[in-house]
Amino acid sequence: MLKKVVQIAFLLIGGTLGLLFLPPLYELIHLSSNPWVNNPYVSVAIGAVLLFGLSFALAEPFIRLMKLLEDSLLKAPVGDLLFGTLGLIVGLILAFFISFALGDIPFIKDIAPVLLSILFGYVCFQVGFKKRDELLSVFTAKSTKKKDGLDVAQESQDPGYKLLDTSVIIDGRIADISKTGFIEGTLVVPQFVLTELQHIADSSDTLKRTRGRRGLDILKVLQDAPTSNVLITEVDFEDIPEVDLKLVRLAKKMNGQILTNDFNLNKVCDLHKVHVLNINDLANAVKPVVIPGEDMNVVVIKGGKEHNQGVAYLDDGTMIVVEEGKSYIGQAITVVVTSVLQTSAGRMIFAKPKNHK
């Protein structure tokens, strides 16, 4: 269906071009005196037939180009498209006035409108598309106000976008925090983060597979929760292979904040001047998940760094160091929490077997 529409468009364009450009060509080859050739109907027919014939060779590449352009536009943020369109309108207006000024120059008056419209339209579209943040800052510049007595200037702030990385999704606490209503704005999950999460869920390693599936379950909980607004964006940066750097670039593009508990990503965001909300920092200010003296059921996976230590993990990847637990490797045991170490880099739980003598 689309191919037929393109061919009909070529037919109409060919007829129009034939009507405009064939009469001057007839004069050059001395056929303007022949009424059978030099008449509008013949010019339209010749132009339409010629371009319709070319459409059989050009239709498929033209359709591929249209679909490529459509995919690019669908992946672009709405703000970029809006400012790009405004730039295009400004460019076309400039082209119109310049073409009007050149209207008395022979031959140029026929070509100038088309060339200037393409040139100014493209340039102004690119300026509006790529300089959105700068243009927006010009129009939304905040005026400074001084406090006078009881009059205090109040500014309404848009909560904006909160971008989730893989670690904070697997951690799972984001779902509980979202339910409380403390997180405002839209939770954004980029497709490249979702892809990484899917790769983890498909891993041959049992621990990684469990963590990946837990992350996918947490995302489903967030989507179904009435208190959270989750947006999955297709925006990607093909020139950047690392997921963390893609996330930083997207946060800059969307003027958003990154939600994470990854210590290294936290440092990278600080270097790039991107605002970070660290779940581990939040956990430092609230009651920990476990408290000393509490019993836990764990499976000791491997030996620890110190003598006779064993290591277990929670579903979210939190490490549990079990003193005197090396002899229980591969077993499910009950341990008593002795202490909890919480830092911005993560949480570590120290415990000992409950019935160990």
Side-chain angles (χ1 to χ4, degrees):
M1 179 62 184
L2 183 58
K3 184 176 181 180
K4 291 182 179 179
V5 173
V6 171
Q7 288 179 327
I8 292 174
F10 270 76
L11 184 70
L12 297 175
I13 294 172
T16 304
L17 294 177
L19 182 63
L20 292 175
F21 295 106
L22 285 182
L25 180 62
Y26 296 151
E27 293 183 3
L28 290 176
I29 59 178
H30 306 291
L31 289 177
S32 58
S33 59
N34 189 336
W36 291 98
V37 176
N38 188 15
N39 69 75
Y41 301 104
V42 173
S43 298
V44 170
I46 293 175
V49 169
L50 288 176
L51 215 60
F52 184 74
L54 287 174
S55 69
F56 288 97
L58 299 178
E60 291 295 337
F62 189 78
I63 291 173
R64 286 197 295 269
L65 179 63
M66 289 175 60
K67 290 184 177 180
L68 181 63
L69 180 62
E70 179 184 356
D71 292 339
S72 300
L73 292 176
L74 288 176
K75 291 180 180 179
V78 177
D80 290 351
L81 292 178
L82 176 61
F83 277 86
T85 304
L86 292 177
L88 175 62
I89 294 173
V90 173
L92 294 177
I93 293 173
L94 290 175
F96 171 77
F97 283 111
I98 295 175
S99 301
F100 183 77
L102 300 175
D104 296 334
I105 303 177
F107 185 69
I108 293 181
K109 66 181 181 181
D110 296 325
I111 301 178
V114 178
L115 295 179
L116 291 175
S117 296
I118 295 174
L119 176 62
F120 281 94
Y122 174 78
V123 171
C124 292
F125 178 84
Q126 289 294 329
V127 171
F129 187 83
K130 295 181 178 180
K131 298 290 185 179
R132 182 195 70 169
D133 294 336
E134 296 180 21
L135 293 172
L136 194 61
S137 64
V138 171
F139 291 107
T140 59
K142 296 180 179 179
S143 59
T144 58
K145 297 182 180 180
K146 295 182 179 180
K147 297 180 180 179
D148 183 15
L150 296 176
D151 296 331
V152 179
Q154 297 180 349
E155 296 178 352
S156 60
Q157 296 181 348
D158 183 7
Y161 297 110
K162 306 293 188 299
L163 284 72
L164 307 184
D165 79 328
T166 310
S167 65
V168 81
I169 296 173
I170 294 175
D171 180 272
R173 287 176 289 175
I174 182 63
D176 297 327
I177 298 172
S178 179
K179 287 179 182 178
T180 63
F182 277 98
I183 297 181
E184 296 180 329
T186 302
L187 299 178
V188 180
V189 182
Q191 181 60 47
F192 52 82
V193 169
L194 198 57
T195 302
E196 184 183 43
L197 198 60
Q198 185 176 355
H199 288 329
I200 296 174
D202 293 336
S203 174
S204 58
D205 186 274
T206 304
L207 289 175
K208 286 186 176 181
R209 187 166 62 248
T210 302
R211 295 176 66 205
R213 291 177 178 176
R214 170 184 169 84
L216 295 175
D217 292 338
I218 293 298
L219 277 182
K220 181 61 177 174
V221 171
L222 284 172
Q223 282 187 320
D224 294 340
T227 56
S228 60
N229 181 20
V230 179
L231 170 66
I232 298 178
T233 175
E234 300 287 340
V235 179
D236 200 350
F237 305 97
E238 303 292 342
D239 57 324
I240 303 177
E242 296 84 2
V243 173
D244 286 354
L245 293 181
K246 286 185 179 184
L247 200 63
V248 172
R249 175 78 69 85
L250 184 59
K252 287 183 176 181
K253 191 178 185 69
M254 300 181 69
N255 194 26
Q257 302 169 332
I258 294 180
L259 267 168
T260 183
N261 62 358
D262 188 327
F263 183 76
N264 294 325
L265 177 58
N266 208 134
K267 293 297 183 183
V268 171
C269 290
D270 289 341
L271 292 174
H272 285 272
K273 308 299 181 184
V274 174
H275 191 207
V276 180
L277 300 175
N278 194 314
I279 298 295
N280 289 326
D281 289 338
L282 177 62
N284 283 330
V286 297
K287 182 181 177 180
V289 176
V290 292
I291 58 177
E294 185 176 345
D295 291 350
M296 297 178 64
N297 294 318
V298 299
V299 177
V300 181
I301 303 296
K302 59 182 181 180
K305 292 183 179 180
E306 303 297 331
H307 176 68
N308 220 14
Q309 278 186 347
V311 175
Y313 294 92
L314 296 179
D315 289 339
D316 61 5
T318 300
M319 180 185 291
I320 304 173
V321 178
V322 183
E323 301 294 340
E324 307 298 328
K326 191 172 184 179
S327 59
Y328 296 97
I329 293 178
Q331 301 180 34
I333 62 173
T334 301
V335 297
V336 179
V337 177
T338 57
S339 63
V340 179
L341 180 62
Q342 177 72 56
T343 67
S344 294
R347 182 174 69 246
M348 184 178 294
I349 301 173
F350 294 89
K352 62 181 181 180
K354 186 173 182 179
N355 298 322
H356 184 76
K357 296 181 181 179

